[in-house]
């Protein structure tokens, strides 16, 4: 079902006013990364890729006991697309799932519900009363199919009124996403 899971764990934790990276912080008795790693393992992928920052792999590695993890350093933290391409650049074909290391409440049923959607790229979105800081989902008027995610910094004042935002969870085909991101 899912060949590769990419866990984005390069967050520095600066907004948490902490010297520890964000995925190391505890939530309900477990580090944030461990919640997401456990979800990834339950999906039974061929390989789990953890994207880390240049300074946090040694802090993250003890939290996941699996020797089969592929650690990927995102040396320049240039956003989600860059992190995803860092993880998938040496992967040929297959389906991938992206999870954020700071989202411990995403569960197996939610991930599996995305798999049944008939779309080349499946996004988990949410509607927020205050979407400030999130990437807005742009949809075609006629079909309502999403066609872009506009980050807050790039959004026009009209786009900032959109309350449907991207959660960071997506499923797609490796070869498709490589083509889309490079175009």
């Amino acid at each position: 079902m899912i060949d590769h899971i990419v866990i984005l764990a390069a967050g520095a934790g600066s907004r948490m006013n902490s010297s520890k990276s964000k995925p190391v912080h505890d939530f309900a008795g477990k580090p944030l990364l461990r919640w997401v790693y456990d979800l990834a393992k339950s999906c039974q992928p061929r390989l789990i890729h953890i994207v880390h920052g240049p300074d946090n792999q040694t802090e993250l590695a003890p939290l996941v006991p699996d020797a089969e993890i592929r650690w990927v350093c995102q040396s320049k933290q240039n956003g989600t697309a860059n992190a995803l391409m860092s993880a998938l650049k040496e992967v040929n074909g297959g389906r991938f799932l992206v999870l954020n290391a700071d989202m411990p409440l995403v569960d197996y049923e939610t991930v599996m519900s995305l798999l049944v959607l008939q779309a080349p790229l499946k996004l988990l979105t949410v509607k927020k009363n205050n979407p400030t800081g999130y990437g807005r989902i742009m949809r075609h008027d006629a079909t309502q199919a999403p066609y872009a995610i506009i980050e807050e910094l790039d959004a026009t004042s009209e786009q900032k009124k959109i309350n449907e935002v991207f959660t960071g969870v997506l499923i797609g085909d490796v070869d498709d996403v490589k083509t889309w991101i490079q175009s």
Side-chain angles (χ1 to χ4, degrees), residues 44-76:
Q44 300 179 343
R46 286 190 319 191
L47 188 58
I48 296 174
H49 311 256
I50 298 181
V51 180
H52 61 89
D55 301 321
N56 71 345
Q57 181 182 0
T58 55
E59 189 178 31
L60 300 175
L63 305 178
V64 289
D66 194 337
E68 297 297 314
I69 290 173
R70 179 172 173 258
W71 291 94
V72 179
C73 182
Q74 184 186 16
S75 53
K76 289 186 179 180

Side-chain angles (χ1 to χ4, degrees), residues 2 4 11 14 41 45 51 61-62 67 86 99 101 116 136 145 147 155:
I2 298 171
H4 300 275
S14 54
K41 288 295 283 187
V51 180
S86 296
L99 298 169
V116 301
R136 304 316 198 281
Y147 67 89

Side-chain angles (χ1 to χ4, degrees), residues 22 31 34 42 46 51 67 76 96 99 108-109 114 117 123 155 158 166-167 169 182:
K22 192 182 331 181
R34 187 55 191 255
S42 73
R46 286 190 319 191
V51 180
K76 289 186 179 180
F96 70 90
L99 298 169
Y108 180 82
E109 290 76 21
L114 290 174
L117 299 175
L123 307 172
E158 197 61 31
F166 179 49
T167 64
V169 176
Q182 291 179 6

Side-chain angles (χ1 to χ4, degrees), residues 127-134 136 152 160 162-163 165:
K127 291 190 177 180
K128 294 187 65 65
N129 290 334
N130 180 2
T132 303
Y134 291 89
R136 304 316 198 281
E152 175 86 16
K160 288 180 182 179
I162 296 169
N163 70 344
V165 299

